[in-house]
């Protein structure tokens, strides 16, 4: 009973903490004006052009922290505040998304793998719970096993996402420093923004792995009773 309480506390509180952390950190450093005076859009454009990515567009997107890079359309989309304002947080996030564009250009292995896993993960993650619920309710261990295998594909996607995000952040820092977009005293602040954002991916992966392990334990318990 205690172990289940600890488990549910982790899977509920860890993602919540990660979301609170990224919002708090972003809010703090979005108010710190960057010494370069460059908006997020200008930061993105500067890094893209410096890396020979003139074919990648930078556009404004709606929503809070809706920043992303779309490899299909070659578009870096930045949320309104990051697009228009000159802040340390906006610069870091813009550079991070451009980091994905650079990964795309260089055919970064983990990014390619993640793209290949997207359709598999989407289908398997949705279908897995049908088998899992039927298997658990009807005590059909074979159906539960199918659900676990399908769910595992989604977990692999979450795990593969981690090096993609960490690498994009590393590229972002390198680009901002080498191009003079941020100064030495701004580096720790930019790193805090990127680290907070990365924590959300770590939390998602951790929760996915824990849930998979829980189901594996349920499955092994069912097979012992068969």
């Amino acid at each position: 009973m205690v172990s289940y309480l600890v488990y549910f506390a982790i899977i509920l509180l860890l993602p919540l903490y990660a979301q609170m952390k990224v919002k708090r950190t972003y809010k703090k450093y979005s108010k710190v004006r960057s010494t370069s005076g460059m908006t997020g859009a200008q930061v993105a454009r500067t890094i893209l052009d410096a890396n020979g990515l003139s074919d990648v567009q930078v556009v404004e997107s709606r929503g809070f922290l809706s920043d992303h890079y779309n490899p299909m359309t070659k578009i870096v989309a930045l949320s309104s505040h990051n697009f228009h304002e000159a802040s340390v947080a906006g610069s870091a996030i813009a550079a991070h998304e451009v980091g994905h564009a650079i990964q795309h250009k260089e055919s970064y292995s983990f990014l390619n793998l993640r793209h290949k896993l997207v359709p598999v993960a989407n289908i398997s993650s949705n279908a897995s719970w049908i088998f899992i619920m039927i298997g658990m309710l009807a005590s059909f261990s074979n159906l539960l096993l199918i659900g676990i295998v399908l769910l595992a594909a989604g977990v692999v996607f979450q795990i593969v996402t981690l090096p993609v995000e960490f690498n994009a952040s590393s590229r972002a820092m390198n680009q901002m420093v080498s191009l003079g977009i941020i100064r030495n005293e701004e580096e720790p602040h930019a790193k805090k923004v990127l680290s907070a954002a990365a924590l959300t991916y770590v939390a998602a992966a951790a929760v996915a792995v824990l849930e998979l392990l829980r189901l594996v334990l349920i499955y092994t318990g069912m097979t012992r009773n068969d």
Side-chain angles (χ1 to χ4, degrees):
M1 180 66 178
V2 175
S3 60
Y4 272 101
L5 289 175
V6 172
Y7 164 78
F8 283 113
I10 292 174
I11 66 169
L12 290 174
L13 295 179
L14 186 57
L16 182 61
Y17 169 76
Q19 289 296 327
M20 289 175 61
K21 178 73 173 178
V22 71
K23 287 180 180 179
R24 184 168 60 248
T25 305
Y26 174 79
K27 183 178 180 180
K28 179 179 180 179
Y29 292 108
S30 64
K31 295 178 181 178
V32 178
R33 184 175 175 80
S34 60
T35 53
S36 69
M38 297 171 66
T39 65
Q42 291 171 329
V43 168
R45 187 74 269 157
T46 297
I47 300 175
L48 287 168
D49 291 344
N51 286 272
L53 290 167
S54 57
D55 58 331
V56 177
Q57 293 180 277
V58 181
V59 302
E60 182 180 356
S61 67
R62 296 180 179 178
F64 177 70
L65 290 180
S66 56
D67 313 81
H68 64 277
Y69 169 66
N70 188 330
M72 301 300 293
T73 58
K74 290 190 175 183
I75 288 177
V76 170
L78 302 176
S79 52
S80 295
H81 189 277
N82 294 333
F83 187 91
H84 293 288
E85 300 297 324
S87 69
V88 171
S91 295
I93 291 173
H96 174 89
E97 298 309 331
V98 174
H100 287 308
I102 298 173
Q103 288 175 336
H104 185 205
K105 175 189 176 184
E106 297 179 357
S107 294
Y108 179 58
S109 57
F110 282 106
L111 183 68
N112 291 339
L113 178 57
R114 186 173 74 168
H115 288 167
K116 291 176 182 178
L117 288 173
V118 168
V120 177
N122 287 340
I123 296 173
S124 63
S125 295
N126 293 328
S128 64
W129 287 104
I130 297 175
F131 291 96
I132 289 169
M133 294 306 297
I134 295 175
M136 291 177 65
L137 292 174
S139 297
F140 289 161
S141 60
N142 288 338
L143 286 181
L144 177 57
L145 179 59
I146 293 173
I148 290 173
V149 172
L150 291 172
L151 186 64
V155 175
V156 170
F157 176 80
Q158 296 278 9
I159 293 173
V160 169
T161 294
L162 294 180
V164 173
E165 297 300 328
F166 286 130
N167 180 264
S169 290
S170 177
R171 290 173 187 266
M173 288 303 303
N174 291 337
Q175 291 292 324
M176 286 191 292
V177 171
S178 63
L179 295 173
I181 293 171
I182 60 174
R183 294 182 178 178
N184 291 340
E185 63 270 21
E186 294 173 304
E187 287 183 43
H189 305 326
K191 286 180 179 178
K192 286 180 181 179
V193 173
L194 295 174
S195 295
L199 183 60
T200 60
Y201 295 100
V202 173
V207 168
V209 170
L210 284 173
E211 182 63 8
L212 183 64
L213 290 175
R214 184 181 74 88
L215 292 170
V216 169
L217 290 175
I218 292 174
Y219 170 75
T220 55
M222 289 176 63
T223 53
R224 286 197 200 100
N225 296 326
D226 285 347

